[in-house]
């Protein structure tokens, strides 16, 4: 990696020292309490890179102390690349990884835990492919990101990483991800490679359609197909298709909520989203997606001969979705962020239900007499 000019992150740290207050992930910082006017809050703008104004007073904090520690521990030349692959924001990796875990757990033998080696392999792949996806997205969206305060300090947008450097970094991520894929069977290798056109074209969708969240759903839930195939050698479509469908519907829910954070900026710069498409009818649409997702998971349970713990977890998932949608405050970005992040817990609840439900199953032929115990036929 080439030596770099002072990074946006370094600039933010300098601004934090000057202002005496912590920096946030989007490049937004808060003025010291004594400097705020008593009558009303106001927006203070600064230019950090290019000519991009930043909203200094913002309600949502995306960086915690642990995240700052990850970034600060890295050497200065490496730091922008960690931010480029969003290593400091693991929620996206969770949302990519969880559908894989569902599929791997469903494919386990009755009465058995899911394959730990396979879960580990897919976790590694999720980190790499999520990072590659973010790199592709930021390469496509460099000019758009500069115009939105939440994204303007992304490494490519603010000039910490050039497009050519990002391209080399992307090649490294995809090479490592290919190494993970090659650990699987031939069917899974072909299936995984088939997702690449979607991975590369997804970032362009918001330029042409109000449904980029649907395309994201098709991409990010590919692991529901790949996980089963990696364990079993091929897809059982009676399980994999409804699981894939449910995952896509789930993505439409959480990513529409996410998109409501940026709807004002999206209108200004001319990009599209389901948040803009649905508008005030968002909750009605999300309710429909939730019903479809839960219905698909019921079909998965029936096809996979799941047991009571699975359906108990599915009930909890349905209640989580209902509460998420009912209490959503679409015009409050901080509430949209909280609802979006809560979907990690939803995914973990379903995973736990699958694992425990599978452990409740009797092993194949369990309790049946073996041939050695069968008496002579009269």
């Amino acid at each position: 990696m080439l030596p770099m000019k002072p990074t946006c992150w370094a600039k933010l740290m300098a601004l934090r020292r000057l202002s005496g207050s912590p920096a946030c992930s989007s490049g937004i910082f808060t003025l010291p309490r004594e400097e705020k006017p008593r009558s009303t809050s106001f927006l203070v703008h600064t230019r950090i890179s290019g000519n991009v104004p930043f909203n200094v007073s913002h309600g949502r904090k995306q960086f915690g102390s642990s995240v700052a520690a990850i970034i600060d521990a890295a050497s200065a030349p490496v730091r922008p690349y960690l931010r480029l692959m969003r290593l400091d924001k693991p929620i996206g990796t969770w949302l990519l990884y969880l559908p894989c875990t569902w599929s791997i757990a469903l494919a386990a033998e009755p009465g058995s835990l899911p394959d730990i080696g396979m879960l580990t392999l897919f976790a590694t792949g999720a980190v790499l492919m999520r990072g590659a996806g973010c790199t592709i997205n930021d390469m496509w969206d460099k000019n758009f990101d500069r115009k939105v305060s939440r994204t303007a300090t992304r490494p490519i947008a603010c000039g910490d990483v050039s497009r050519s450097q990002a391209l080399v970094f992307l090649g490294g991520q995809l090479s490592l991800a290919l190494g993970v894929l090659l650990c699987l069977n031939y069917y899974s290798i072909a299936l995984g490679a088939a997702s690449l056109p979607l991975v590369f074209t997804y970032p362009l969708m918001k330029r042409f359609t109000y449904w980029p969240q649907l395309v994201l759903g098709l991409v990010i839930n590919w692991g529901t197909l790949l996980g089963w195939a990696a364990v079993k050698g091929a897809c059982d479509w009676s399980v994999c298709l409804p699981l894939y469908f449910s995952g896509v519907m789930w993505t439409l829910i959480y990513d529409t909520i996410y998109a409501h954070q940026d709807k004002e900026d999206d209108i200004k710069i001319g990009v599209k989203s389901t948040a803009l498409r649905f508008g005030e009818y968002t909750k009605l649409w999300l309710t429909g997606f939730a019903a479809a997702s839960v219905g698909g998971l019921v079909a998965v349970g029936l096809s996979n001969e799941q047991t009571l713990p699975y359906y108990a977890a599915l009930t909890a998932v349905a209640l989580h979705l209902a509460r998420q949608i009912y209490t959503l405050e679409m015009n409050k970005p901080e509430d949209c962020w909280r609802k979006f992040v809560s979907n990690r817990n939803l995914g973990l609840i379903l995973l736990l239900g699958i694992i425990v439900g599978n452990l409740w199953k009797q092993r194949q032929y369990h309790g049946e007499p073996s041939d050695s115990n069968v008496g002579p036929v009269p």
Side-chain angles (χ1 to χ4, degrees), residues 296-314:
L297 291 173
V298 170
V300 169
L302 294 174
S303 296
N304 194 241
E305 299 181 349
Q306 275 294 335
T307 55
L308 182 61
Y310 173 84
Y311 294 104
L314 186 52

Side-chain angles (χ1 to χ4, degrees), residues 204-242:
L204 294 174
M205 292 299 106
K206 56 179 166 285
R207 294 162 169 80
F208 306 112
T209 176
Y210 281 100
W211 292 86
Q213 281 71 26
L214 176 61
V215 182
L216 175 64
L218 297 175
V219 175
I220 205 169
N221 291 285
W222 202 261
T224 58
L225 309 178
L226 194 57
W228 184 285
V231 175
K232 295 288 193 181
C235 286
D236 179 345
W237 297 110
S238 67
V239 176
C240 293
L241 277 183

Side-chain angles (χ1 to χ4, degrees), residues 140-167:
W140 281 120
D141 287 354
K142 175 182 178 180
N143 295 328
F144 285 150
D145 285 345
R146 284 176 169 176
K147 300 174 184 178
V148 179
S149 61
R150 187 179 60 81
T151 61
T153 55
R154 287 178 176 174
I156 297 177
C158 73
D160 284 348
V161 177
S162 68
R163 274 193 171 133
S164 59
Q165 289 171 324
L167 186 61

